[in-house]
Amino acid sequence: MSTETTQDRFDRLMEIMRRLRAPGGCPWDAEQTHESLKRYLLEESYEVIEAIDARDQKLLKEELGDLMLQPVFHAAIAEESGTFTMDEVLDAINEKLVRRHPHVFGDQVIESSAAQVENWEKIKKSEKGDERKSALSGIPPHLPALMKAQKITEKAARVGFDWEHTDQVFAKVMEELHEFQEAMAAGDQQEMESELGDLLFAIVNLGRFLAIDPEEALRKTIQRFTRRFEHIEETLHGGGRKLQDASLEEMDLLWEEAKKLEKR
C-alpha cells in the first residue's frame, strides 16, 4: 500500500509537468501556451461529462485526471513567467469558497439553495465593485449559445425582468413559432435567422421555468439520435446493404425499432 499522501501525489504531478516543460523534456509540452491549451480544456471537460453520462466510474476517474492536468499545465506556464503559482491558485479558490459561504464558515443563516444562489451573486457583485455596470455582466462570452441564453435569462430574472407563470412563457414560445412560420412563408432568409434565434431563446426560457437545462436536454437528444441512426446503419450493413440502398420508409421503420429497443 502506498504511503504517499494526497499532497505528495499533487506535488509529484506538478514536478512531472515542470520536467516535461524543462530543457530536455517534451518538445510539444514545452511549446504550449495558455492560448494553445484552450481547446484541450474544453475537450477534457466534455469527456468528463461523457463519462458521467455513461455511468462509467473507471472512465470518470481517468477523465478527471486528464481534466486536472489542464490547470496544472496552466499554473506551470504562469510559474515560469512569474505571473502566479499553483499555491496562489489554491489560496484564491480556498479564500473565495470560505468568503462566499458565510452560512457555513460564519454566522449567517441561509434556509435554501435558492437563497444561497442569491447571496452568492450578492457577494460576488460586492467583490467586483463598480466594475460590472449591467445586471447581465459576468457571463463568459465563449459559453455555448444555449447555456449563455440560460444564464442571461437567470440574471434578468433576478432583477425582476421575468414572466410570472409558465403558461406565459409557453405562449411566448408559440408566438415566436408563429413569427418564424411567417418569415418562412415570406422566404426572407435574414428574418428567418432572426426569428429562429428568438424561438430558441424562448424555448431556453421555458426550460428554465420547468427546471430543465436546455444544453443538457439537447445533448441527450443528440445522443438518442446518434444511437438510433447507428442502429439503422448496423441493421442495413448486417444485411449487406448501404444507407443509400434503403428507402426513407425503411429507415423510418428501423428508427422506430430502435426506439422500442431503448424502451426495453
Side-chain angles (χ1 to χ4, degrees), residues 174-212:
M174 299 309 294
E175 176 190 324
E176 296 297 352
L177 177 59
H178 179 67
E179 290 178 2
F180 177 64
Q181 289 172 320
E182 289 181 337
M184 283 181 62
D188 187 328
Q189 190 68 28
Q190 187 172 348
E191 189 65 16
M192 279 192 285
E193 180 186 51
S194 175
E195 294 299 343
L196 182 60
D198 290 347
L199 176 59
L200 290 170
F201 194 85
I203 289 172
V204 168
N205 221 358
L206 179 61
R208 178 176 62 84
F209 262 76
L210 297 173
I212 297 171

Side-chain angles (χ1 to χ4, degrees), residues 226-239:
T226 302
R227 284 197 307 268
R228 294 168 188 174
F229 192 82
E230 287 174 347
H231 173 77
I232 295 172
E233 289 180 310
E234 290 167 4
T235 303
L236 290 172
H237 291 166

Side-chain angles (χ1 to χ4, degrees), residues 113-132:
S113 58
Q116 164 55 13
V117 170
E118 185 178 345
N119 196 54
W120 176 284
E121 289 297 325
K122 190 182 298 181
I123 296 171
K124 188 175 179 181
K125 189 174 182 180
S126 69
E127 290 171 354
K128 302 294 180 181
D130 294 328
E131 180 185 341
R132 296 182 175 177

